[in-house]
């Protein structure tokens, strides 16, 4: 869950990041989401690590979110992107797999390089 972890880390320490770029982040807007499964130890764990609740910390940070249209996290990624003012997105054909990640990697890396340059 690298994209989720990157978002969570940037939310918790926004001053320590130049930006955050994630592809196919495994994120959920609510603990009741059918896909949460065993990703968290329970409701309290989810609520303590909810990237949607923490998203205001990213409002002034460059954020790039890429996700495949067939990815089970596509709708959630779009919901998060809609909350962020400083967001860039890439909604490509594909799912939650290496084919999609390779497709969006050049755009994701260009974004990260630009964010590092300030």
């Amino acid at each position: 869950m690298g994209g989720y972890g990157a978002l969570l880390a940037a939310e918790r320490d926004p001053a320590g990041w130049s930006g955050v770029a994630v592809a196919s982040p495994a994120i959920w807007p609510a603990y009741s989401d059918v896909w949460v499964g065993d990703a968290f130890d329970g409701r309290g764990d989810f609520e303590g690590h909810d990237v949607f609740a923490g998203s205001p910390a990213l409002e002034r940070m460059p954020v790039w979110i890429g996700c495949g249209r067939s990815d089970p996290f596509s709708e959630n990624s779009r919901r998060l992107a809609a909350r962020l003012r400083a967001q860039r997105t890439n909604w490509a054909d594909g799912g939650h797999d290496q084919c999609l990640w390779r497709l969006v990697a050049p755009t994701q890396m260009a974004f990260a390089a630009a964010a590092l340059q300030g």
Side-chain angles (χ1 to χ4, degrees), residues 93-118:
D93 288 332
H96 196 86
D97 57 41
Q98 287 187 12
C99 292
L100 181 278
W101 301 326
R102 287 181 181 162
L103 177 68
V104 300
T107 307
Q108 183 181 21
M109 293 301 104
F111 174 86
L116 287 170
Q117 293 175 5

Side-chain angles (χ1 to χ4, degrees), residues 35 68 70-76 95-96:
W35 292 101
S70 300
D71 189 311
F73 297 104
S74 179
E75 184 179 329
N76 296 344
H96 196 86

Side-chain angles (χ1 to χ4, degrees), residues 25-113:
I27 56 175
W28 300 271
Y31 181 70
S32 60
D33 192 304
V34 67
W35 292 101
V36 170
D38 63 355
F40 298 91
D41 292 334
R43 182 176 301 278
D45 185 33
F46 175 85
E47 290 172 357
H49 303 93
D50 180 355
V51 296
F52 280 85
S55 64
L58 302 177
E59 286 181 354
R60 296 178 188 225
M61 181 183 302
V63 176
W64 183 93
I65 299 174
C67 199
R69 292 184 189 99
S70 300
D71 189 311
F73 297 104
S74 179
E75 184 179 329
N76 296 344
S77 294
R78 289 176 182 271
R79 285 181 185 169
L80 182 63
R83 288 183 174 212
L84 303 173
R85 294 180 196 159
Q87 50 93 9
R88 310 279 191 289
T89 59
N90 185 333
W91 311 118
D93 288 332
H96 196 86
D97 57 41
Q98 287 187 12
C99 292
L100 181 278
W101 301 326
R102 287 181 181 162
L103 177 68
V104 300
T107 307
Q108 183 181 21
M109 293 301 104
F111 174 86

